[in-house]
């Protein structure tokens, strides 16, 4: 998806540096919006999700160790490779410039942050709607909380489209929210079919048409 967005913006005449900065700004805003919604729901419903069942205590050590290793490796590369350091510095300057430009106009800032909040909110509402339709015995707000917690957790797992990791995390989160495992699994499969697998066909057709029309 990011590659398609970059290609579209460059075809429209936006320089690659600005296109990359704009995409990075959007991804950052979307992550902040998702975490903000998760935090708000955790405050509103503190007992809705038993986090111990979602993330066992024994997993905290290896997870922190892995994150620390990644950070150390990244710092080592930046410090040791001048070309990488120069490229990263240039990218950060461009990204900060784009951020200032966006927030200098209230309408653009509202579009950025409104979309960053609306996108995960609508996704969570979709899961809650499927859960209600299939009779999952979990309140809709708790299902939304489970969705946000699961998607934030699997953001560290680089699988294409979240296939596999999202399904597993959603099932675990819904069970942690109090739903039966069998019904939670059915809800997650139905939700992912509706939101991921069925749209693949029109998405592929649209992508092919855009390529033929040289839009991307």
């Amino acid at each position: 998806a990011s590659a398609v967005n970059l290609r579209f913006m460059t075809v429209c005449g936006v320089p690659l540096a600005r296109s990359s900065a704009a995409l990075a700004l959007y991804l950052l805003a979307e992550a902040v919006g998702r975490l903000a919604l998760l935090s708000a729901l955790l405050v509103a419903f503190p007992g809705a999700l038993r986090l111990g069942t979602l993330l066992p205590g024994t997993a905290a050590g290896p997870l922190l160790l892995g994150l620390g290793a990644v950070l150390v490796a990244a710092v080592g590369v930046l410090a040791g490779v001048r070309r990488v350091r120069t490229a990263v510095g240039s990218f950060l300057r461009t990204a900060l410039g784009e951020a200032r430009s966006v927030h200098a106009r209230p309408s653009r800032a509202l579009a950025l942050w409104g979309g960053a909040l609306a996108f995960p909110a609508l996704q969570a509402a979709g899961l809650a709607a499927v859960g209600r339709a299939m009779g999952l015995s979990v309140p809709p707000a708790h299902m939304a909380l489970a969705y946000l917690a699961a998607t934030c957790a699997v953001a560290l797992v680089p699988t294409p489209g979240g296939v596999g990791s999202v399904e597993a995390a959603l099932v675990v989160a819904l069970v942690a929210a109090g739903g039966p495992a069998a019904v939670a699994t059915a809800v997650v499969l139905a939700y992912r079919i509706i939101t991921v697998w069925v749209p693949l066909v029109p998405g592929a057709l649209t992508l092919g048409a855009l390529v033929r029309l040289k839009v991307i």
Side-chain angles (χ1 to χ4, degrees):
S2 298
V4 172
N5 286 330
L6 284 176
R7 176 63 180 169
F8 172 73
M9 286 187 281
T10 53
V11 169
C12 290
V14 181
L16 181 59
R18 290 194 63 190
S19 300
S20 302
L23 183 60
L25 179 60
Y26 161 72
L27 293 175
L28 176 62
E30 199 272 336
V32 171
R34 191 177 295 270
L35 289 172
L37 290 173
L38 174 61
S39 301
L41 287 176
L42 283 173
V43 171
F45 307 99
L49 196 64
R50 297 187 295 273
L51 295 178
T53 59
L54 182 62
L55 184 63
T58 55
L63 180 59
L64 291 176
L65 183 61
L67 289 176
V70 171
L71 289 175
V72 169
V75 172
V77 171
L78 287 176
V81 183
R82 182 176 180 181
R83 181 175 295 181
V84 173
R85 187 168 63 251
T86 302
V88 171
S90 175
F91 172 77
L92 289 177
R93 286 191 296 272
T94 304
L96 289 174
E98 288 297 311
R100 286 194 295 267
S101 175
V102 168
H103 291 90
R105 298 178 59 181
S107 60
R108 295 178 65 188
L110 179 61
L112 173 65
W113 292 106
L117 289 169
F119 183 63
L122 289 173
Q123 289 180 317
L127 178 66
V130 174
R132 293 284 291 177
M134 301 188 69
L136 183 63
S137 57
V138 176
H142 295 190
M143 283 190 272
L145 174 57
Y147 170 83
L148 292 169
T151 52
C152 287
V154 300
L156 299 175
V157 183
T159 57
V163 176
S165 59
V166 170
E167 287 84 354
L170 283 175
V171 171
V172 172
L174 289 176
V175 171
V183 181
T185 302
V187 168
V188 170
L189 290 177
Y191 172 74
R192 293 290 281 176
I193 288 171
I194 293 170
T195 59
V196 176
W197 297 107
V198 171
L200 283 178
V201 175
L205 294 175
T206 302
L207 179 61
L210 292 175
V211 171
R212 285 195 298 271
L213 294 172
K214 301 186 183 303
V215 175
I216 58 175

